[in-house]
Amino acid sequence: MLDTWFSSWLWPFSTLGWPEETLDLRAFYPTSTLVSGHDILFFWIARMIMAGLHFTGRVPFRDVYLTGIVRDHLGRKMSKSLGNGIDPLEVIERFGADALRYTVVAGAGAGMDQYLNYEDLEEAFGPGRNFANKLWNLGRFALLNLGEEPRRSVEEVVLAPEDRWILSRLTATVRDVTEDLERYRLQEAALALHGFLWRDVADWYVEMIKARLRGEAGEASAAAARAVLAEVLDQGLRLLHPIMPFITEVVWLRLPKAPDAPPSIMVAPWPTVRSAWLEPAVETRMAAFQELVTAVRALRAAYRVPPTARLELYVYPVSPDLAAALDVWAPRLGSLARVAAVHRAVPPAVPGARAVLRGGATAFLPLEGIVDVARERDQLTAELARVRAQLDAVEAKLANAQFRAKAPAEVVAREEERARQLRAQETQLAAQLDALK
Amino acid sequence: MATEASPAAALPPHYRPQEHEAAIYRRWEMLGLFGADPDDPRPPYVIVIPPPNVTSRLHMGHGLNNTVQDVLIRWRRMQGYNALWVPGTDHAGIATQNVVERQLAKEGLTRQQLGREAFLERVWAWVRQTGGEILEQLRALGCSCDWSRTRFTLDPGLSRAVREVFVRLYEEGLIYRGRYIIHWCPRCLTALSDEEATPEEVEGRLYYLRYPLADGDAPPTLPRLPDGRPYLVVATTRPETLLGDTAVAVHPEDPRYASLIGRTVLLPLVGRRLPIVADDAVDPEFGSGAVKVTPAHDPLDFAIAQRHGLPEVEILTPEARLTDAVPEPFRGLDRFEARQAVVAALEAEGLLEAVRPHRHSVPHCYRCDTVVEPRLSWQWFVRMRPLAEPALAAARAGDVRFVPERFLKIYEHWLENIRDWCISRQLWWGHRIPAWTCDACGATIVAR
C-alpha cells in the first residue's frame, strides 16, 4: 500500500479533475492560497509544490499561510491524552460560531501559536460573544431609529461634524482592513473592526447622535443622522462579515436597503475607499474632544463624584483643535460627561479637580459641595511630600561635584531628566492642592 | 427567520446565536452562494482545504485553520472574485487503520484474525458511519465551501490520479524499489517515512562491550581479559543488536587500531568470527573509536556493509522479537527483554566493560509513539532530488510566498537536504501500489 501522503501531495490538482483536462482545472488551477499548520510543512506543503511543478508545470498555489498551533493556557499542545482540549462544537453551542471565529482570528497572527484556557471557556470566548452581543444591540438601536422609510443616501443630507467624523473613520477602516487582509494580517483586521464598531460607532457616534435622532435638532438633522448610521452600519457589517458571518448577516438583512440589493451580505460588494470622506482634520478635532470627555469621566471617577451630579467645566488654554471641537460639540458634554456648562476660562480659586490634556489644556471641575474636599486635600498633601523627598534626593546627587565628575554622561543626563520630571510633578500637585483650597 | 429587509422585523432584546446560525447557513446554501462556475469570467480566487481525516472530529486546530480559510474566501467573494473553496477528506491510512484496530481489540480481535477483506469492510463501514461528520461540523463553523465539489482521497478520480502519478514517476525512473534500512513501527507493522519517525530525547544508556580478538597476537596497548586474551571495546545504545553483528569497524587513520585492520574478533554469546574493517564513516571520537557493525538493523552499518561486502543477519521479526538466527536462549524474546538478557549474559562472562547514562534521540512512531526499529526491507522510494530542485527554485523566485516569510528558510533547508521518500506502507487501508510481480518469471509490472 502507499503512504497516505502519496495521495495528499496531489490534492490541489487531483481535486480539480487531473489527469483529465477538465474545465475546473483550466479555470481554477493554480489555486491562490493554501492555509495550513506549519507542522506539516514537509509532510505535505513542500511535497505538493514538488508534485505541482512536476505534473502540471506550475506551482499549486501562490501563497502559503501558515497558522500556529492552538495551545492551552499553560502552553501545552492540546491533546486527547492530556485532556486539555477544547471542543469547538461545545464552543459554538454555548458562545456561537462567530465568537469562536473572532477569538481565533483576533488571538494570533500568522505563524503564531494561540493560547486558550480550556478550564475557563468564558475567559477564552466571552469577549467574542460580547462583541456579537454589542453588534446585536447596535443593530437593535439602529432598527428602532431608522423607521420604515426608505434609506436616504449620505450624499442627499447635510452632514453634522460628528457625521463627517464617523464617515472619515469608516473610510480609514475600509482602507486599513482591506490592506490588512491583502497582507494576511487577519488579527489586525479583526482588532481594527472591533475598535471601529464598538468604540467609534457604538460608544461615541451613537451616543452623540441620540439627541438628533429624537428630533431635538430638527428633522433634517435627524434624517442626516439616520442616513449616516445606516451607511456606517451597512459598510461596517460588510467589513466584519468574513470574520463573523452570522451576526453580520442577521443585522444586515434587516437594515433598510435599495430594492436591488443583493440577497445576502455574503455577496454584497466589499466596501471601497471614498477618499472624499477622509477628513483628518475632523478626526484630530474629535480626538481632542474625546480626550476631554475621557478626562472629565476619569476625574469624576477618581474623586468619586456622584453620577447624577452635573458639574461646571473650565478649560484653559484652549488649542485651536479643541476650540473647534467645543464650538460644535460643547452641548454634547451634557450627555457624554454630565457637564452643566463649559467655560473657556481660568477657573475661580475654588477647590476642584484638575487634569492636564495632551494638547496642553487644563480641565478643571469645581468640587466644593460635591465631594469631601478635606480628604482629597490630605491625599494630595501626602503625595506632594513624597515627590518633594524624591526631588531633594536627586538634586543632592546632582549637586555633588564628585558624582558629576565620575558618573558617565548619560547617567548624569538621566538624573537631570528625572529632576525635571519631578519638578513638573511637584508644580502640578502643588497646583492641584492649591485648587482644592 | 425573517429574510425580508424590513426594519419592522425588529430584533428581540437578546442575541442567541443558536436560534440564527443554522437557519442562516441553510439559506446561504439554498441561494447557492457557495458554488463557483468555471465559466464565470471574473478572476478566480481558489483555496483547497487541507483535507481533515475522514473519521476525525473537529478540534481547535481545524477551528483556527478553517476560519482563516473562510475569512479569505468570503472577503475575496465580496471583492468580486470567482471564489471557490474545495472541501474534502483524507482517508488517513495509518490513523484510520489504527482506530479500527483499536475497536477490534476491544472485541478481542486483530486485523490478521479478521483477514484483509473483512477488515477493509469494517473500515469502510466506520468511514461511512462517521465520514462526513467533520464536514457537517465545518458547516456549523460557517465555512462557505462548494460542497458540490467535495472530494475524498480514496474516491475513483483521486485514485486514478494516484495511479497515473505512480506510473509516470516509475517510467521516468523517479520511483524505484530498493532494499534499504527503513523506519519500522513494530506495533503498526509498517514502514514509516523519515518524517513519520519523530525523534524524542530519552535518558538512555551507553553500553561498553568487550569483543575478544580471535587470532594471533596483539599490540601491548590492548587490554586483556583475565584469561589473557586481548580485546576491543565497542560502544552501543542497543546491546541486543550484538546478535546480528557481522563486523567491527574502525576509522582508517586511527593509530590505536591501525595494526588490527584485517584481523578478526570473536562475537560474544554467538561465537561468530567478525572481520575488523576500516571505514571513513566511523567517528574515532565516539566511545572507544571501534564500532560494532549490524548491517540489518542500522542504516549507517548497512552502508558500511555495502562498501565491504559484509553479510546481513536479520535478528528481529516484524514485531521486534528475536528470530531463529540468534542462539537458542534468546529466540522469541522481545527486543527490550533481549537487551536485558544480552547484558546479563555479557556481564556473567566478564565481557561488559561499563554502562554509562547517555541522553540521546530515539525515533518514535508519529501515530502510536512506539519506539521505531531500523529494519532492512524491500520498499518503494521516490527519488526526491530531481523534484526538489524546481521546488526550491520556485520558492526562491517568489512564485510561492510563505506567510510569515521566515518559513522559507525552513523549507529551503529541508529541500536542500532532502532524502528519498519511502512511499510503501505495510497497511491494508489505502491506495494499492500499482505494481505486480509475475509469479512465473518474477518480473515487476507497473501499470495504470
Side-chain angles (χ1 to χ4, degrees), chain A residues 1-4 11 20 24 32-33 54 62 64 93 101 263, chain B residues 18 27 45-46 49 93 149 160 172 401 423 425 427 431:
Chain A
M1 308 299 288
L2 284 163
D3 182 1
T4 289
W11 187 250
E20 300 287 336
D24 273 7
S32 313
T33 306
H54 192 75
R62 294 272 317 152
V64 180
E93 182 55 37
R101 294 169 61 117
Chain B
Q18 305 78 6
R27 182 170 172 270
Y45 181 82
V46 185
I49 200 170
R149 286 186 163 81
R160 193 181 152 212
E172 293 166 26
R401 290 192 317 150
I423 52 166
R425 294 290 180 279
L427 298 172
H431 291 282

PDB file of all heavy atoms in Angstrom, chain A residues 1-4 11 20 24 32-33 54 62 64 93 101 263, chain B residues 18 27 45-46 49 93 149 160 172 401 423 425 427 431:
ATOM      1  N   MET A   1       0.844  -1.188   0.000  1.00  0.00           N
ATOM      2  CA  MET A   1       0.000   0.000   0.000  1.00  0.00           C
ATOM      3  C   MET A   1       0.884   1.244   0.000  1.00  0.00           C
ATOM      4  O   MET A   1       2.058   1.198   0.334  1.00  0.00           O
ATOM      5  CB  MET A   1      -0.900   0.020   1.243  1.00  0.00           C
ATOM      6  CG  MET A   1      -1.683  -1.264   1.455  1.00  0.00           C
ATOM      7  SD  MET A   1      -2.802  -1.632   0.110  1.00  0.00           S
ATOM      8  CE  MET A   1      -4.065  -0.411   0.354  1.00  0.00           C
ATOM      9  N   LEU A   2       0.240   2.386  -0.336  1.00  0.00           N
ATOM     10  CA  LEU A   2       1.005   3.628  -0.425  1.00  0.00           C
ATOM     11  C   LEU A   2       0.825   4.488   0.815  1.00  0.00           C
ATOM     12  O   LEU A   2      -0.246   4.506   1.429  1.00  0.00           O
ATOM     13  CB  LEU A   2       0.546   4.413  -1.652  1.00  0.00           C
ATOM     14  CG  LEU A   2       1.046   3.888  -2.991  1.00  0.00           C
ATOM     15  CD1 LEU A   2       0.217   4.467  -4.125  1.00  0.00           C
ATOM     16  CD2 LEU A   2       2.524   4.230  -3.170  1.00  0.00           C
ATOM     17  N   ASP A   3       1.856   5.207   1.154  1.00  0.00           N
ATOM     18  CA  ASP A   3       1.805   6.243   2.177  1.00  0.00           C
ATOM     19  C   ASP A   3       0.606   7.157   1.889  1.00  0.00           C
ATOM     20  O   ASP A   3       0.357   7.539   0.743  1.00  0.00           O
ATOM     21  CB  ASP A   3       3.119   7.037   2.082  1.00  0.00           C
ATOM     22  CG  ASP A   3       3.234   8.122   3.136  1.00  0.00           C
ATOM     23  OD1 ASP A   3       2.322   8.260   3.958  1.00  0.00           O
ATOM     24  OD2 ASP A   3       4.282   8.819   3.118  1.00  0.00           O
ATOM     25  N   THR A   4      -0.121   7.510   2.950  1.00  0.00           N
ATOM     26  CA  THR A   4      -1.270   8.418   2.807  1.00  0.00           C
ATOM     27  C   THR A   4      -0.915   9.700   2.062  1.00  0.00           C
ATOM     28  O   THR A   4      -1.683  10.223   1.270  1.00  0.00           O
ATOM     29  CB  THR A   4      -1.791   8.813   4.208  1.00  0.00           C
ATOM     30  OG1 THR A   4      -2.423   7.685   4.778  1.00  0.00           O
ATOM     31  CG2 THR A   4      -2.779   9.951   4.142  1.00  0.00           C
ATOM     32  N   TRP A  11      -3.288  16.731  -4.093  1.00  0.00           N
ATOM     33  CA  TRP A  11      -4.601  17.301  -3.747  1.00  0.00           C
ATOM     34  C   TRP A  11      -4.980  18.564  -4.527  1.00  0.00           C
ATOM     35  O   TRP A  11      -6.106  18.641  -5.041  1.00  0.00           O
ATOM     36  CB  TRP A  11      -4.612  17.523  -2.229  1.00  0.00           C
ATOM     37  CG  TRP A  11      -5.900  17.948  -1.608  1.00  0.00           C
ATOM     38  CD1 TRP A  11      -6.172  19.176  -1.088  1.00  0.00           C
ATOM     39  CD2 TRP A  11      -7.090  17.156  -1.397  1.00  0.00           C
ATOM     40  NE1 TRP A  11      -7.435  19.194  -0.557  1.00  0.00           N
ATOM     41  CE2 TRP A  11      -8.028  17.976  -0.735  1.00  0.00           C
ATOM     42  CE3 TRP A  11      -7.451  15.843  -1.717  1.00  0.00           C
ATOM     43  CZ2 TRP A  11      -9.293  17.535  -0.374  1.00  0.00           C
ATOM     44  CZ3 TRP A  11      -8.720  15.401  -1.357  1.00  0.00           C
ATOM     45  CH2 TRP A  11      -9.633  16.229  -0.703  1.00  0.00           C
ATOM     46  N   GLU A  20      -7.424  14.378 -16.123  1.00  0.00           N
ATOM     47  CA  GLU A  20      -8.251  14.896 -17.208  1.00  0.00           C
ATOM     48  C   GLU A  20      -8.002  16.408 -17.351  1.00  0.00           C
ATOM     49  O   GLU A  20      -7.765  17.092 -16.361  1.00  0.00           O
ATOM     50  CB  GLU A  20      -9.746  14.697 -16.883  1.00  0.00           C
ATOM     51  CG  GLU A  20     -10.169  13.256 -16.691  1.00  0.00           C
ATOM     52  CD  GLU A  20     -10.210  12.486 -18.008  1.00  0.00           C
ATOM     53  OE1 GLU A  20     -10.371  13.144 -19.063  1.00  0.00           O
ATOM     54  OE2 GLU A  20     -10.067  11.257 -17.967  1.00  0.00           O
ATOM     55  N   ASP A  24     -12.706  22.665 -14.764  1.00  0.00           N
ATOM     56  CA  ASP A  24     -12.314  23.141 -13.439  1.00  0.00           C
ATOM     57  C   ASP A  24     -10.813  23.373 -13.359  1.00  0.00           C
ATOM     58  O   ASP A  24     -10.349  24.370 -12.820  1.00  0.00           O
ATOM     59  CB  ASP A  24     -12.702  22.104 -12.360  1.00  0.00           C
ATOM     60  CG  ASP A  24     -14.123  22.323 -11.877  1.00  0.00           C
ATOM     61  OD1 ASP A  24     -14.824  23.182 -12.472  1.00  0.00           O
ATOM     62  OD2 ASP A  24     -14.527  21.636 -10.929  1.00  0.00           O
ATOM     63  N   SER A  32      -5.018  29.779  -5.239  1.00  0.00           N
ATOM     64  CA  SER A  32      -4.492  31.071  -4.784  1.00  0.00           C
ATOM     65  C   SER A  32      -3.717  30.963  -3.488  1.00  0.00           C
ATOM     66  O   SER A  32      -2.559  31.365  -3.410  1.00  0.00           O
ATOM     67  CB  SER A  32      -5.659  32.044  -4.606  1.00  0.00           C
ATOM     68  OG  SER A  32      -6.514  32.000  -5.735  1.00  0.00           O
ATOM     69  N   THR A  33      -4.372  30.450  -2.455  1.00  0.00           N
ATOM     70  CA  THR A  33      -3.770  30.439  -1.124  1.00  0.00           C
ATOM     71  C   THR A  33      -3.944  29.066  -0.498  1.00  0.00           C
ATOM     72  O   THR A  33      -5.015  28.473  -0.616  1.00  0.00           O
ATOM     73  CB  THR A  33      -4.447  31.488  -0.213  1.00  0.00           C
ATOM     74  OG1 THR A  33      -4.419  32.753  -0.849  1.00  0.00           O
ATOM     75  CG2 THR A  33      -3.723  31.591   1.128  1.00  0.00           C
ATOM     76  N   HIS A  54       6.042  19.320 -11.036  1.00  0.00           N
ATOM     77  CA  HIS A  54       6.429  18.196 -11.889  1.00  0.00           C
ATOM     78  C   HIS A  54       5.306  17.766 -12.832  1.00  0.00           C
ATOM     79  O   HIS A  54       5.559  17.470 -13.999  1.00  0.00           O
ATOM     80  CB  HIS A  54       6.861  17.013 -11.024  1.00  0.00           C
ATOM     81  CG  HIS A  54       7.534  15.921 -11.806  1.00  0.00           C
ATOM     82  ND1 HIS A  54       8.832  16.040 -12.266  1.00  0.00           N
ATOM     83  CD2 HIS A  54       7.098  14.718 -12.238  1.00  0.00           C
ATOM     84  CE1 HIS A  54       9.161  14.939 -12.940  1.00  0.00           C
ATOM     85  NE2 HIS A  54       8.132  14.125 -12.929  1.00  0.00           N
ATOM     86  N   ARG A  62      -0.184  30.153  -4.928  1.00  0.00           N
ATOM     87  CA  ARG A  62       0.718  31.312  -4.924  1.00  0.00           C
ATOM     88  C   ARG A  62       1.224  31.610  -3.513  1.00  0.00           C
ATOM     89  O   ARG A  62       2.373  31.915  -3.311  1.00  0.00           O
ATOM     90  CB  ARG A  62      -0.017  32.555  -5.466  1.00  0.00           C
ATOM     91  CG  ARG A  62      -0.399  32.439  -6.914  1.00  0.00           C
ATOM     92  CD  ARG A  62       0.705  32.918  -7.812  1.00  0.00           C
ATOM     93  NE  ARG A  62       1.296  34.167  -7.307  1.00  0.00           N
ATOM     94  CZ  ARG A  62       2.550  34.532  -7.534  1.00  0.00           C
ATOM     95  NH1 ARG A  62       3.332  33.753  -8.246  1.00  0.00           N
ATOM     96  NH2 ARG A  62       3.020  35.670  -7.054  1.00  0.00           N
ATOM     97  N   VAL A  64       1.284  30.662   0.731  1.00  0.00           N
ATOM     98  CA  VAL A  64       1.106  29.664   1.784  1.00  0.00           C
ATOM     99  C   VAL A  64       0.990  30.408   3.109  1.00  0.00           C
ATOM    100  O   VAL A  64       1.939  31.064   3.544  1.00  0.00           O
ATOM    101  CB  VAL A  64       2.305  28.695   1.855  1.00  0.00           C
ATOM    102  CG1 VAL A  64       2.087  27.678   2.969  1.00  0.00           C
ATOM    103  CG2 VAL A  64       2.497  27.986   0.522  1.00  0.00           C
ATOM    104  N   GLU A  93     -21.936  25.897  20.397  1.00  0.00           N
ATOM    105  CA  GLU A  93     -23.231  25.746  21.060  1.00  0.00           C
ATOM    106  C   GLU A  93     -23.414  26.806  22.155  1.00  0.00           C
ATOM    107  O   GLU A  93     -24.462  27.414  22.272  1.00  0.00           O
ATOM    108  CB  GLU A  93     -23.313  24.329  21.654  1.00  0.00           C
ATOM    109  CG  GLU A  93     -24.621  23.990  22.329  1.00  0.00           C
ATOM    110  CD  GLU A  93     -25.833  24.181  21.434  1.00  0.00           C
ATOM    111  OE1 GLU A  93     -25.710  23.885  20.230  1.00  0.00           O
ATOM    112  OE2 GLU A  93     -26.874  24.653  21.937  1.00  0.00           O
ATOM    113  N   ARG A 101     -14.926  32.154  15.951  1.00  0.00           N
ATOM    114  CA  ARG A 101     -14.158  32.680  14.816  1.00  0.00           C
ATOM    115  C   ARG A 101     -13.423  33.958  15.196  1.00  0.00           C
ATOM    116  O   ARG A 101     -12.238  34.138  14.892  1.00  0.00           O
ATOM    117  CB  ARG A 101     -15.078  32.914  13.620  1.00  0.00           C
ATOM    118  CG  ARG A 101     -15.670  31.637  13.056  1.00  0.00           C
ATOM    119  CD  ARG A 101     -16.779  31.932  12.044  1.00  0.00           C
ATOM    120  NE  ARG A 101     -16.260  32.688  10.913  1.00  0.00           N
ATOM    121  CZ  ARG A 101     -16.244  32.232   9.653  1.00  0.00           C
ATOM    122  NH1 ARG A 101     -16.712  31.027   9.367  1.00  0.00           N
ATOM    123  NH2 ARG A 101     -15.780  32.987   8.684  1.00  0.00           N
ATOM    124  N   PRO A 263     -29.094  39.472  -2.163  1.00  0.00           N
ATOM    125  CA  PRO A 263     -29.916  38.717  -1.222  1.00  0.00           C
ATOM    126  C   PRO A 263     -29.211  38.389   0.088  1.00  0.00           C
ATOM    127  O   PRO A 263     -29.849  37.892   1.008  1.00  0.00           O
ATOM    128  CB  PRO A 263     -30.218  37.423  -1.991  1.00  0.00           C
ATOM    129  CG  PRO A 263     -29.051  37.262  -2.909  1.00  0.00           C
ATOM    130  CD  PRO A 263     -28.633  38.654  -3.294  1.00  0.00           C
TER     131      PRO A 263
ATOM    132  N   GLN B  18     -27.647  30.424  18.657  1.00  0.00           N
ATOM    133  CA  GLN B  18     -28.200  29.104  18.352  1.00  0.00           C
ATOM    134  C   GLN B  18     -29.512  29.219  17.573  1.00  0.00           C
ATOM    135  O   GLN B  18     -29.868  28.324  16.812  1.00  0.00           O
ATOM    136  CB  GLN B  18     -28.458  28.315  19.649  1.00  0.00           C
ATOM    137  CG  GLN B  18     -27.260  28.176  20.570  1.00  0.00           C
ATOM    138  CD  GLN B  18     -26.984  29.453  21.388  1.00  0.00           C
ATOM    139  OE1 GLN B  18     -27.758  30.410  21.355  1.00  0.00           O
ATOM    140  NE2 GLN B  18     -25.862  29.463  22.085  1.00  0.00           N
ATOM    141  N   ARG B  27     -30.013  28.984   4.466  1.00  0.00           N
ATOM    142  CA  ARG B  27     -30.444  29.943   3.455  1.00  0.00           C
ATOM    143  C   ARG B  27     -29.313  30.219   2.457  1.00  0.00           C
ATOM    144  O   ARG B  27     -29.544  30.270   1.251  1.00  0.00           O
ATOM    145  CB  ARG B  27     -30.892  31.235   4.134  1.00  0.00           C
ATOM    146  CG  ARG B  27     -31.393  32.271   3.160  1.00  0.00           C
ATOM    147  CD  ARG B  27     -32.059  33.445   3.871  1.00  0.00           C
ATOM    148  NE  ARG B  27     -32.348  34.504   2.919  1.00  0.00           N
ATOM    149  CZ  ARG B  27     -31.487  35.485   2.650  1.00  0.00           C
ATOM    150  NH1 ARG B  27     -30.315  35.530   3.257  1.00  0.00           N
ATOM    151  NH2 ARG B  27     -31.813  36.401   1.768  1.00  0.00           N
ATOM    152  N   TYR B  45     -10.473  33.085  -7.377  1.00  0.00           N
ATOM    153  CA  TYR B  45      -9.720  33.020  -6.123  1.00  0.00           C
ATOM    154  C   TYR B  45     -10.038  31.653  -5.521  1.00  0.00           C
ATOM    155  O   TYR B  45     -11.207  31.354  -5.242  1.00  0.00           O
ATOM    156  CB  TYR B  45     -10.096  34.136  -5.157  1.00  0.00           C
ATOM    157  CG  TYR B  45      -9.275  34.040  -3.878  1.00  0.00           C
ATOM    158  CD1 TYR B  45      -7.979  34.550  -3.827  1.00  0.00           C
ATOM    159  CD2 TYR B  45      -9.771  33.392  -2.756  1.00  0.00           C
ATOM    160  CE1 TYR B  45      -7.204  34.419  -2.689  1.00  0.00           C
ATOM    161  CE2 TYR B  45      -8.998  33.258  -1.609  1.00  0.00           C
ATOM    162  CZ  TYR B  45      -7.717  33.776  -1.575  1.00  0.00           C
ATOM    163  OH  TYR B  45      -6.945  33.638  -0.452  1.00  0.00           O
ATOM    164  N   VAL B  46      -9.037  30.815  -5.378  1.00  0.00           N
ATOM    165  CA  VAL B  46      -9.282  29.406  -5.062  1.00  0.00           C
ATOM    166  C   VAL B  46      -8.471  28.956  -3.847  1.00  0.00           C
ATOM    167  O   VAL B  46      -7.288  29.275  -3.720  1.00  0.00           O
ATOM    168  CB  VAL B  46      -8.921  28.500  -6.268  1.00  0.00           C
ATOM    169  CG1 VAL B  46      -9.299  27.050  -5.989  1.00  0.00           C
ATOM    170  CG2 VAL B  46      -9.592  28.997  -7.535  1.00  0.00           C
ATOM    171  N   ILE B  49      -9.030  22.898   0.639  1.00  0.00           N
ATOM    172  CA  ILE B  49      -8.977  22.681   2.087  1.00  0.00           C
ATOM    173  C   ILE B  49      -7.870  21.675   2.407  1.00  0.00           C
ATOM    174  O   ILE B  49      -7.654  20.738   1.643  1.00  0.00           O
ATOM    175  CB  ILE B  49     -10.339  22.144   2.572  1.00  0.00           C
ATOM    176  CG1 ILE B  49     -10.525  22.349   4.072  1.00  0.00           C
ATOM    177  CG2 ILE B  49     -10.506  20.659   2.248  1.00  0.00           C
ATOM    178  CD1 ILE B  49     -11.951  22.041   4.521  1.00  0.00           C
ATOM    179  N   GLY B  93      -4.490   6.824   5.972  1.00  0.00           N
ATOM    180  CA  GLY B  93      -4.159   5.406   6.065  1.00  0.00           C
ATOM    181  C   GLY B  93      -3.870   4.878   7.448  1.00  0.00           C
ATOM    182  O   GLY B  93      -4.674   4.157   8.049  1.00  0.00           O
ATOM    183  N   ARG B 149     -18.425  20.032  -4.752  1.00  0.00           N
ATOM    184  CA  ARG B 149     -17.116  19.564  -5.215  1.00  0.00           C
ATOM    185  C   ARG B 149     -16.370  18.764  -4.149  1.00  0.00           C
ATOM    186  O   ARG B 149     -15.154  18.589  -4.239  1.00  0.00           O
ATOM    187  CB  ARG B 149     -16.252  20.756  -5.641  1.00  0.00           C
ATOM    188  CG  ARG B 149     -16.671  21.377  -6.962  1.00  0.00           C
ATOM    189  CD  ARG B 149     -15.672  22.453  -7.365  1.00  0.00           C
ATOM    190  NE  ARG B 149     -15.774  22.805  -8.760  1.00  0.00           N
ATOM    191  CZ  ARG B 149     -16.673  23.633  -9.263  1.00  0.00           C
ATOM    192  NH1 ARG B 149     -17.566  24.194  -8.481  1.00  0.00           N
ATOM    193  NH2 ARG B 149     -16.687  23.903 -10.561  1.00  0.00           N
ATOM    194  N   ARG B 160      -7.392   7.436  -9.460  1.00  0.00           N
ATOM    195  CA  ARG B 160      -6.825   7.423 -10.803  1.00  0.00           C
ATOM    196  C   ARG B 160      -5.593   8.336 -10.868  1.00  0.00           C
ATOM    197  O   ARG B 160      -4.566   7.986 -11.470  1.00  0.00           O
ATOM    198  CB  ARG B 160      -7.876   7.914 -11.805  1.00  0.00           C
ATOM    199  CG  ARG B 160      -7.413   7.605 -13.179  1.00  0.00           C
ATOM    200  CD  ARG B 160      -8.298   8.027 -14.297  1.00  0.00           C
ATOM    201  NE  ARG B 160      -7.411   8.248 -15.419  1.00  0.00           N
ATOM    202  CZ  ARG B 160      -7.612   9.138 -16.365  1.00  0.00           C
ATOM    203  NH1 ARG B 160      -8.696   9.880 -16.351  1.00  0.00           N
ATOM    204  NH2 ARG B 160      -6.731   9.285 -17.319  1.00  0.00           N
ATOM    205  N   GLU B 172       9.676   7.396 -15.455  1.00  0.00           N
ATOM    206  CA  GLU B 172      10.742   8.398 -15.522  1.00  0.00           C
ATOM    207  C   GLU B 172      11.953   7.996 -14.674  1.00  0.00           C
ATOM    208  O   GLU B 172      12.921   8.765 -14.563  1.00  0.00           O
ATOM    209  CB  GLU B 172      10.223   9.757 -15.011  1.00  0.00           C
ATOM    210  CG  GLU B 172       9.166  10.376 -15.904  1.00  0.00           C
ATOM    211  CD  GLU B 172       8.440  11.535 -15.217  1.00  0.00           C
ATOM    212  OE1 GLU B 172       9.031  12.158 -14.314  1.00  0.00           O
ATOM    213  OE2 GLU B 172       7.287  11.787 -15.574  1.00  0.00           O
ATOM    214  N   ARG B 401       4.895  32.155  -2.104  1.00  0.00           N
ATOM    215  CA  ARG B 401       5.286  33.035  -0.992  1.00  0.00           C
ATOM    216  C   ARG B 401       4.826  32.441   0.329  1.00  0.00           C
ATOM    217  O   ARG B 401       3.695  31.951   0.411  1.00  0.00           O
ATOM    218  CB  ARG B 401       4.633  34.413  -1.141  1.00  0.00           C
ATOM    219  CG  ARG B 401       5.168  35.242  -2.274  1.00  0.00           C
ATOM    220  CD  ARG B 401       4.656  36.655  -2.133  1.00  0.00           C
ATOM    221  NE  ARG B 401       3.227  36.659  -1.767  1.00  0.00           N
ATOM    222  CZ  ARG B 401       2.648  37.612  -1.050  1.00  0.00           C
ATOM    223  NH1 ARG B 401       3.350  38.621  -0.610  1.00  0.00           N
ATOM    224  NH2 ARG B 401       1.348  37.551  -0.777  1.00  0.00           N
ATOM    225  N   ILE B 423       7.712   5.384   0.165  1.00  0.00           N
ATOM    226  CA  ILE B 423       6.267   5.575  -0.024  1.00  0.00           C
ATOM    227  C   ILE B 423       5.466   4.303   0.192  1.00  0.00           C
ATOM    228  O   ILE B 423       4.237   4.335   0.130  1.00  0.00           O
ATOM    229  CB  ILE B 423       5.948   6.120  -1.445  1.00  0.00           C
ATOM    230  CG1 ILE B 423       6.620   5.240  -2.501  1.00  0.00           C
ATOM    231  CG2 ILE B 423       6.365   7.573  -1.563  1.00  0.00           C
ATOM    232  CD1 ILE B 423       6.097   5.503  -3.898  1.00  0.00           C
ATOM    233  N   ARG B 425       3.834   1.284   2.374  1.00  0.00           N
ATOM    234  CA  ARG B 425       3.401   1.045   3.752  1.00  0.00           C
ATOM    235  C   ARG B 425       2.805  -0.345   3.824  1.00  0.00           C
ATOM    236  O   ARG B 425       2.099  -0.771   2.907  1.00  0.00           O
ATOM    237  CB  ARG B 425       2.328   2.067   4.168  1.00  0.00           C
ATOM    238  CG  ARG B 425       2.808   3.497   4.250  1.00  0.00           C
ATOM    239  CD  ARG B 425       3.746   3.695   5.405  1.00  0.00           C
ATOM    240  NE  ARG B 425       4.213   5.075   5.479  1.00  0.00           N
ATOM    241  CZ  ARG B 425       5.202   5.574   4.743  1.00  0.00           C
ATOM    242  NH1 ARG B 425       5.840   4.808   3.879  1.00  0.00           N
ATOM    243  NH2 ARG B 425       5.565   6.824   4.866  1.00  0.00           N
ATOM    244  N   LEU B 427       0.266  -1.466   5.143  1.00  0.00           N
ATOM    245  CA  LEU B 427      -1.069  -1.255   5.690  1.00  0.00           C
ATOM    246  C   LEU B 427      -2.071  -1.960   4.798  1.00  0.00           C
ATOM    247  O   LEU B 427      -1.747  -2.414   3.700  1.00  0.00           O
ATOM    248  CB  LEU B 427      -1.397   0.238   5.703  1.00  0.00           C
ATOM    249  CG  LEU B 427      -0.513   1.129   6.560  1.00  0.00           C
ATOM    250  CD1 LEU B 427      -0.853   2.589   6.294  1.00  0.00           C
ATOM    251  CD2 LEU B 427      -0.700   0.810   8.028  1.00  0.00           C
ATOM    252  N   HIS B 431      -4.316   3.309  -0.740  1.00  0.00           N
ATOM    253  CA  HIS B 431      -4.148   3.043  -2.170  1.00  0.00           C
ATOM    254  C   HIS B 431      -3.163   1.900  -2.359  1.00  0.00           C
ATOM    255  O   HIS B 431      -2.081   1.904  -1.772  1.00  0.00           O
ATOM    256  CB  HIS B 431      -3.583   4.280  -2.872  1.00  0.00           C
ATOM    257  CG  HIS B 431      -4.531   5.425  -2.930  1.00  0.00           C
ATOM    258  ND1 HIS B 431      -5.558   5.469  -3.836  1.00  0.00           N
ATOM    259  CD2 HIS B 431      -4.624   6.552  -2.189  1.00  0.00           C
ATOM    260  CE1 HIS B 431      -6.236   6.594  -3.666  1.00  0.00           C
ATOM    261  NE2 HIS B 431      -5.699   7.266  -2.667  1.00  0.00           N
TER     262      HIS B 431
END
